[in-house]
Amino acid sequence: MYSLIRPLLFSFNPETAHHITLDALQFVYRLGLLPLFVKHPVDNPHKVMGLTFPNSVGLAAGLDKNGDYIDALAALGFGFIEIGTVTPRAQEGNPKPRLFRLPEAQGIINRMGFNNHGVDALIENVKRANYRGILGINIGKNFDTPIEHAAADYLIGLRRVYTHASYVAINISSPNTKNLRQLQGSDELDALLTQLKAEQEKLADLHGKYVPLALKIAPDLDSEQIRQIATLLQRHRIDGVIATNTTLTRTGVEHLAQQTETGGLSGAPLRDRSTAVIRELATVLQGSLPIIGVGGILSGKDAAEKIHAGAALIQIYSGLIYRGPELINECVKAIGNSQRS
Ligand SMILES: Cc1cc2nc3c(=O)[nH]c(=O)nc-3n(C[C@H](O)[C@H](O)[C@H](O)COP(=O)(O)O)c2cc1C
């Protein structure tokens, strides 16, 4: 079905196509017609970070930045949905165009820059949604908050979303907010995680509810950096790690005109790099905390490969653009089969 409408969607510029697709999905969902088009995957429940996931295939952050489409997206059969990245205050993001397809490589380059309506608007959307499944809320910092004060933005985000989220994702790995990735440095990360862990414990006492924290990291890290981050995650008792965000490298797409666009590359060209980071993390972590694997999953085989590399759950974004919602079911099945074999 999706393969029939994809040429039409690809005739629009990518950001317009994004809005058309999500609005159409919402429309069909509200008419109650979505079950005619999508087959719900068979449940394959997993307990991760103390939460029970009905299946291990989630929606990655950035597709529904404001939580406008939670119910419609959940109806596609995801085991969990991650919304955001949301910042304390609303911001426009980078000037358009800022989203580019690389169809020959099944890749996407984006430099969106955390365009979002702010955390309060997101919470209103979460309250309005009927979805009662696993909801991750991904938080970031405003572009104009100096990097030295980044922790203040993450603390605002954490406090505001805490009671509304099943888990909170801490995004320090977007390449499109100046200097953000500096927060992955040992000293900066140590300081940030100290404050976030203390706040999580305070909020858990206050609300009588423990909400796990997951750190989202970049694929552009060397082995030493991966080892340092993994050690800090363990030391600060962070509940999970999401690997990975988009890459600044252009390996595999050097020959394509769009590769000169500034921004993070996702989709198929990211797959092996992201899997390598997962594998290295898994080696250091030895199961002490779960890995959510994301990056370049365009088939069930890719999903199973992430699980084999050490991921407990997976997420998809670019694969949805190239393959449509059928990919969800295909990944759930492939993971189930690979776990049985
Ligand atoms: C257009 C676009 C916007 C994104 N926005 C965010 C974001 O706001 N926060 C975030 O943590 N990741 C964001 N991502 C990264 C994805 O969540 C994911 O980590 C990355 O794209 C790799 O997965 P994929 O190859 O399946 O797309 C974005 C990705 C794309 C393509």
Side-chain angles (χ1 to χ4, degrees):
M1 177 73 189
Y2 183 77
S3 55
L4 296 178
I5 55 172
R6 200 184 89 160
L8 176 68
L9 288 173
F10 276 28
S11 70
F12 294 99
N13 84 60
E15 201 164 340
T16 306
H18 171 89
H19 293 297
I20 291 175
T21 309
L22 287 173
D23 287 343
L25 175 71
Q26 183 107 296
F27 182 71
V28 175
Y29 168 76
R30 286 186 177 155
L31 289 176
L33 299 177
L34 212 47
L36 295 180
F37 301 101
V38 289
K39 261 196 265 148
H40 237 268
V42 178
D43 282 359
N44 182 12
H46 274 65
K47 200 159 183 176
V48 179
M49 301 191 290
L51 305 167
T52 304
F53 291 73
N55 69 59
S56 41
V57 180
L59 173 69
L63 189 121
D64 188 6
K65 289 188 190 265
N66 299 302
D68 289 314
Y69 304 98
I70 298 171
D71 289 331
L73 287 165
L76 295 178
F78 285 111
F80 60 113
I81 305 274
E82 190 172 309
I83 58 172
T85 296
V86 71
T87 54
R89 288 168 284 114
Q91 62 180 35
E92 298 257 312
N94 288 320
K96 294 176 189 172
R98 53 192 180 179
L99 184 57
F100 308 89
R101 295 184 200 101
L102 290 75
E104 301 89 337
Q106 297 193 301
I108 302 281
I109 291 177
N110 94 83
R111 52 170 177 270
M112 304 301 286
F114 292 168
N115 53 306
N116 79 102
H117 298 154
V119 69
D120 291 337
L122 174 136
I123 288 168
E124 287 312 308
N125 281 336
V126 173
K127 284 190 196 160
R128 264 195 296 271
N130 297 316
Y131 177 64
R132 293 291 169 267
I134 307 270
L135 182 72
I137 304 184
N138 180 309
I139 59 173
K141 76 164 203 73
N142 278 109
F143 80 102
D144 56 356
T145 300
I147 199 71
E148 314 80 74
H149 301 145
D153 273 14
Y154 288 99
L155 289 171
I156 293 170
L158 179 58
R159 286 184 201 118
R160 294 289 293 119
V161 306
Y162 191 83
T163 56
H164 304 282
S166 312
Y167 71 89
V168 178
I170 313 295
N171 182 7
I172 53 166
S173 49
S174 167
N176 303 314
T177 295
K178 196 166 167 239
N179 298 332
L180 192 78
R181 286 181 168 194
Q182 278 180 20
L183 297 173
Q184 296 179 126
S186 260
D187 293 346
E188 293 87 345
L189 188 58
D190 195 18
L192 180 65
L193 295 183
T194 303
Q195 295 186 68
L196 288 172
K197 190 67 198 180
E199 192 62 31
Q200 179 200 32
E201 285 173 347
K202 239 200 272 176
L203 291 164
D205 278 350
L206 181 68
H207 299 291
K209 177 192 178 197
Y210 183 83
V211 178
L213 292 182
L215 187 76
K216 184 159 179 181
I217 65 169
D220 307 321
L221 298 164
D222 62 30
S223 300
E224 180 56 20
Q225 288 171 308
I226 294 172
R227 198 191 53 74
Q228 284 172 356
I229 290 173
T231 306
L232 286 170
L233 290 169
Q234 289 171 314
R235 189 185 307 152
H236 290 283
R237 289 172 293 115
I238 301 303
D239 305 280
V241 55
I242 306 174
T244 68
N245 214 312
T246 55
T247 179
L248 284 170
T249 65
R250 293 294 182 263
T251 313
V253 297
E254 300 91 339
H255 56 296
L256 301 176
Q258 300 281 45
Q259 64 98 17
T260 54
E261 294 293 347
T262 302
L265 173 66
S266 58
L270 171 63
R271 183 185 54 225
D272 292 350
R273 178 171 283 268
S274 146
T275 306
V277 172
I278 293 165
R279 200 170 281 123
E280 287 203 49
L281 271 175
T283 306
V284 186
L285 291 171
Q286 290 292 315
S288 54
L289 59 113
I291 302 165
I292 301 174
V294 51
I297 298 173
L298 279 101
S299 68
K301 182 175 161 283
D302 299 340
E305 200 174 274
K306 291 278 192 277
I307 300 288
H308 283 283
L313 302 164
I314 61 132
Q315 291 180 322
I316 51 181
Y317 187 151
S318 304
L320 277 181
I321 296 170
Y322 285 103
R323 295 282 323 281
E326 300 163 12
L327 178 61
I328 305 165
N329 221 338
E330 185 180 312
C331 291
V332 173
K333 274 197 201 139
I335 292 171
N337 288 341
S338 78
Q339 284 165 339
R340 275 188 290 276
S341 65

